[in-house]
Amino acid sequence: MDNRGILIVVSGFSGAGKGTLMKELLRRHPDTYALSISATTRSPREGEVDGREYFFISTEEFEKMIAKDGLIEYARYVENYYGTPRGYVEEKLGQGKDVILEIEIQGALKVKKAFPDTLLLFVTPPSASELKSRLVGRGTETMDVIRSRMDRACEEAQGMENYDYLIVNDDLDTCVEEMHSIIRAEHRKISRNAEFMEKIKEDLISLKGED
């Protein structure tokens, strides 16, 4: 079987619990998954470490990476660049790890265009009212920010049908195992196992010839 990893993009509404879900998936299956680390030109915040939260690089370095096609996808937000380094992702896939990118819809569709085999997963709470409750329940944001996040969710909802699977994050434990099962099943997809199938066919013909 092909031992190369699968590229997975996880998107979802702000407040859907993507971060918690990813952390738990990696905690339970550390040898199976790698979380892609983005590069950014913004300065590190207190407690952030280069190569852990982000690869912190200069604008000049980032623009060189763009020119050399060294990024799978990138975007610019409020004067800073953010992007996914191609080399890091390729290295982890080659090691047989499934690489997870946690990015928004526009970035997800860019990745899918560049890598058609990418598995796209969209994380949502069980209902819109639950999403609002979670955002309010954080207690860290003003009602104006919550309203803007709900507006953003309305826009993002229009892109859900571009994804391969919907992950409803109601119970964390169930959700983590469901996501793991979907990714395991994806490894057995016919389109991902062309070499293996050809070898089986050849071996069957050669064994038949021995009769």
Side-chain angles (χ1 to χ4, degrees), residues 24-84:
E24 187 60 19
L25 189 68
L26 267 78
R27 189 189 71 77
R28 293 188 193 186
H29 308 282
D31 298 329
T32 304
Y33 300 108
L35 193 59
S36 173
I37 300 168
S38 296
T40 184
T41 56
R42 79 159 171 76
S43 301
R45 293 181 185 136
E46 191 177 340
E48 288 183 333
V49 177
D50 182 51
R52 187 179 69 188
E53 280 79 17
Y54 287 95
F55 295 116
F56 295 100
I57 63 176
S58 68
T59 301
E60 186 185 1
E61 284 177 283
F62 199 102
E63 287 174 348
K64 277 183 187 170
M65 288 177 80
I66 294 171
K68 291 179 178 173
D69 198 27
L71 295 157
I72 289 173
E73 56 81 36
Y74 70 93
R76 190 165 188 164
Y77 300 107
V78 199
E79 300 305 307
N80 284 306
Y81 284 116
Y82 294 82
T84 304

Side-chain angles (χ1 to χ4, degrees), residues 112-169:
K112 185 78 170 179
K113 193 172 179 183
F115 298 87
D117 272 353
T118 302
L119 176 63
L120 300 184
L121 306 177
F122 194 91
V123 180
T124 175
S127 68
S129 57
E130 174 63 17
L131 177 64
K132 188 170 184 182
S133 296
R134 288 183 192 181
L135 288 170
V136 171
R138 282 176 176 178
T140 55
E141 288 150 347
T142 64
M143 283 311 293
D144 280 346
V145 171
I146 290 166
R147 269 192 291 272
S148 72
R149 291 197 188 281
M150 290 300 289
D151 288 345
R152 175 84 175 134
C154 289
E155 292 169 23
E156 289 173 331
Q158 302 307 312
M160 286 192 289
E161 64 272 15
N162 294 304
Y163 284 71
D164 298 306
Y165 292 91
L166 197 63
I167 308 286
V168 179
N169 187 10

Side-chain angles (χ1 to χ4, degrees), residues 1-2 187-205:
M1 294 292 251
D2 184 1
H187 274 273
R188 297 292 171 260
K189 212 171 184 179
I190 290 290
S191 59
R192 294 186 188 274
N193 289 281
E195 281 182 36
F196 177 80
M197 290 185 296
E198 281 309 308
K199 185 165 189 327
I200 286 274
K201 288 175 192 174
E202 287 167 16
D203 290 352
L204 283 167
I205 290 165

Side-chain angles (χ1 to χ4, degrees), residues 174-187:
T174 305
C175 194
V176 169
E177 286 314 309
E178 183 179 71
M179 186 179 278
H180 181 61
S181 297
I182 286 169
I183 298 165
R184 291 298 88 206
E186 189 70 14
H187 274 273

